[in-house]
Amino acid sequence: MFILELHASDLHAALGRLLDQVRVADLHLAAVDARQEAGEYKIQASIDVRDRQAVERLARRVGAIIGVAAIEVRGGRPHAISAAAP
C-alpha cells in the first residue's frame, strides 16, 4: 500500500488527472481524500499495489499537469520520496 499526496491549486484538474492516470495504469485505488489547506488543495490517495515504481510513474504523470505544486509518495519501503513539479 502506498500513499500518494498531491498539493495543487486546481482541485478538479489534479483529481481528474489522478483518477484518469490510476485507471490507465490499471492500479487499485483504495481511498481518496481531498481538503483545502492554506490556499491550496491537499489530495491523498491510497493505492493498493506492491510496485513502488508504478506509483512513482503515476506521480510523475500526475505531476506534469499545471497547478500541482508538490507530490510525495509514502509507504511500501521505509523511506519516502518527494518530487516538486517542474
Side-chain angles (χ1 to χ4, degrees):
M1 177 81 65
F2 291 90
I3 305 296
L4 178 63
E5 185 174 296
L6 306 171
H7 296 258
S9 59
D10 186 338
L11 173 67
H12 296 98
L15 190 54
R17 177 74 172 201
L18 172 65
L19 295 175
D20 183 53
Q21 290 301 312
V22 165
R23 180 187 55 79
V24 168
D26 198 28
L27 297 175
H28 181 260
L29 188 62
V32 175
D33 178 59
R35 61 185 171 275
Q36 188 174 15
E37 289 184 0
E40 71 177 6
Y41 294 95
K42 183 177 178 181
I43 302 167
Q44 288 186 333
S46 299
I47 302 168
D48 192 9
V49 65
R50 293 179 186 226
D51 183 4
R52 183 179 190 89
Q53 290 180 347
V55 178
E56 290 174 354
R57 282 191 301 273
L58 172 69
R60 285 190 298 273
R61 283 189 216 119
V62 173
I65 68 167
I66 296 172
V68 174
I71 300 174
E72 183 178 349
V73 177
R74 295 189 307 266
R77 295 184 186 161
H79 69 281
I81 65 158
S82 292

